[in-house]
Amino acid sequence: GIQVEQSPPDLILQEGANSTLRCNFSDSVNNLQWFHQNPWGQLINLFYIPSGTKQNGRLSATTVATERYSLLYISSSQTTDSGVYFCAAGAVRGYSTLTFGKGTMLLVSP
Amino acid sequence: GAGVSQSPRYKVAKRGQDVALRCDPISGHVSLFWYQQALGQGPEFLTYFQNEAQLDKSGLPSDRFFAERPEGSVSTLKIQRTQQEDSAVYLCASSLGGGNEKLFFGSGTQLSVL
């Protein structure tokens, strides 16, 4: 099946800093989503982005499907951005089941 | 409902007991997924329903795991004769259509097998 790798595994930022999280995937995808898991375990869908660029407030994401990677940008980070960010990809072949990466744990300090 | 609802939020079981975990997806959502998340790991796929049809159960770890969605809405994940290695968070997710669409997760059921 498709392999999903995320980097960096951990990231510590000061409030106000910007960051870029990367997701590489091993096969052609027709489904790529970014999630934020908060400290209470709730997974929040940030973006559905199989290709192109989207922005939502301080967050934006870009997927370059031909080069098999996606990037999540966080600008002007806040302490509430802390948590684990997961990338999940669905291969073109098969059903639309998503394979998750291991996540990037982000800690934003005041 | 407004979101995906899962119950119970926490479940403690003695080894060998059977457990049943419930998922109530967003109203009208066709697709329903179950994932298992071990501590410090990403969610791993268990099974997928489109309406009442179970289209993929390739992720179920053993024949002790069984899932159903008899009327195409509420789903139940049943684990028979629980083992310690079954301890994990079980997440349910739904999406509107049958294809590749935005996935919405419930809060999960944290299962601890003693």
Side-chain angles (χ1 to χ4, degrees), chain A residues 49-105:
Chain A
I49 186 164
S51 63
T53 297
K54 290 185 178 179
Q55 180 153 9
N56 184 3
R58 296 181 296 102
L59 303 181
S60 64
T62 295
T63 297
V64 184
T66 53
E67 298 187 19
R68 299 185 181 175
Y69 74 89
S70 183
L71 302 174
L72 177 70
Y73 305 95
I74 304 173
S75 65
S76 305
S77 58
Q78 301 176 357
T79 56
T80 52
D81 294 332
S82 296
V84 183
Y85 289 80
F86 288 104
C87 166
V92 169
R93 287 172 286 280
Y95 296 111
S96 55
T97 57
L98 292 175
T99 298
F100 281 73
K102 294 188 175 182
T104 292
M105 180 173 287

Side-chain angles (χ1 to χ4, degrees), chain A residues 1-5 24-32 68 88-92 97-100:
Chain A
I2 190 169
Q3 306 298 313
V4 179
E5 293 185 0
N24 292 330
F25 39 92
S26 62
D27 203 348
S28 299
V29 299
N30 56 8
N31 193 346
L32 192 293
R68 299 185 181 175
V92 169
T97 57
L98 292 175
T99 298
F100 281 73

